[in-house]
Every structure is written in C-alpha cells, then in structure tokens.
C-alpha cells in the first residue's frame, strides 16, 4: 500500500510539474509576442518620423534650389545692366577726351 501511495503522489507531482511548465511556457510566449509587437511598433513609428523628416528636407531643398535659381537669374540681369552702364560710361569718357 505504501508503494501505491508513493507512486500516486509521484504521478500527481509529475503531472502538476508538466502543467505548471506548460502554463509558464505559454505565458512567456505571450509576453515575448507582446514585447516584440511593442518594439516593432516603436521602430515603425520612428521610421515614419524619419521618413516625414526626409520629406520635409526635400521640400525645403526644392525651395532653396528655386531661390538660388531666382538669385542667379537676378545676378545675370544685374551683370548685363552693369556691362551696359560701363559701356555707356566708356562712351561718355571717350567724348570728353576728344
């Protein structure tokens, strides 16, 4: 009788240990899945923020390029005007020298 009682207690203990281990494994898997999902969401949000920042930089760069082009065109006009003014000044000097 004592061997049967010991055997029953051992079997119950083993079954309880298997049950507890399975529950612990399931809980750990659920926790790991939640942690991975949180980390993935955080990474996605950061990547989206970086992407928006890059788009803002591109828009700003386009605006800057347009401003530089406008300034270049204005400088060309000023240079042409200056050449014309120098030419007229040289003509006026030539008339005075004669």
């Amino acid at each position: 009788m004592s061997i049967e009682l010991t055997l029953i207690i051992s079997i119950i203990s083993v079954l309880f240990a298997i049950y507890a281990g399975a529950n612990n494994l399931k809980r750990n898997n659920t926790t790991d899945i939640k942690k991975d999902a949180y980390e993935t969401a955080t990474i996605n949000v950061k990547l989206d923020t970086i992407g928006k920042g890059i788009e803002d930089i591109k828009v700003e760069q386009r605006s800057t390029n347009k401003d530089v082009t406008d300034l270049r065109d204005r400088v060309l006009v000023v240079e042409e005007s200056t050449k014309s003014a120098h030419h007229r000044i040289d003509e006026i000097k030539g008339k005075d020298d004669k």
Side-chain angles (χ1 to χ4, degrees):
M1 171 98 170
S2 107
I3 294 177
E4 292 174 5
L5 183 59
T6 308
L7 185 61
I8 291 174
I9 291 174
S10 297
I11 291 173
I12 291 174
S13 296
V14 168
L15 291 176
F16 180 74
I18 290 172
Y19 174 76
N23 266 351
N24 192 22
L25 182 64
K26 183 178 178 183
R27 186 170 16 112
N28 285 341
N29 284 340
T30 303
T31 303
D32 289 344
I33 290 171
K34 286 180 183 179
K35 183 180 175 184
D36 288 345
Y38 175 78
E39 289 174 357
T40 302
T42 302
I43 290 170
N44 286 339
V45 167
K46 288 180 180 181
L47 287 174
D48 288 342
T49 303
I50 290 170
K52 287 177 185 177
I54 289 172
E55 287 300 319
D56 291 343
I57 290 170
K58 285 181 180 179
V59 168
E60 188 174 326
Q61 183 180 6
R62 287 185 198 114
S63 174
T64 301
N65 287 343
K66 184 182 179 301
D67 291 344
V68 168
T69 301
D70 292 344
L71 285 174
R72 185 189 69 213
D73 293 342
R74 290 177 64 189
V75 167
L76 288 174
V77 170
V78 169
E79 285 176 346
E80 289 298 319
S81 177
T82 304
K83 283 182 186 177
S84 177
H86 278 290
H87 182 66
R88 287 191 306 265
I89 291 170
D90 289 341
E91 286 179 0
I92 292 171
K93 277 187 168 181
K95 288 181 183 177
D96 287 344
D97 291 340
K98 291 183 181 179

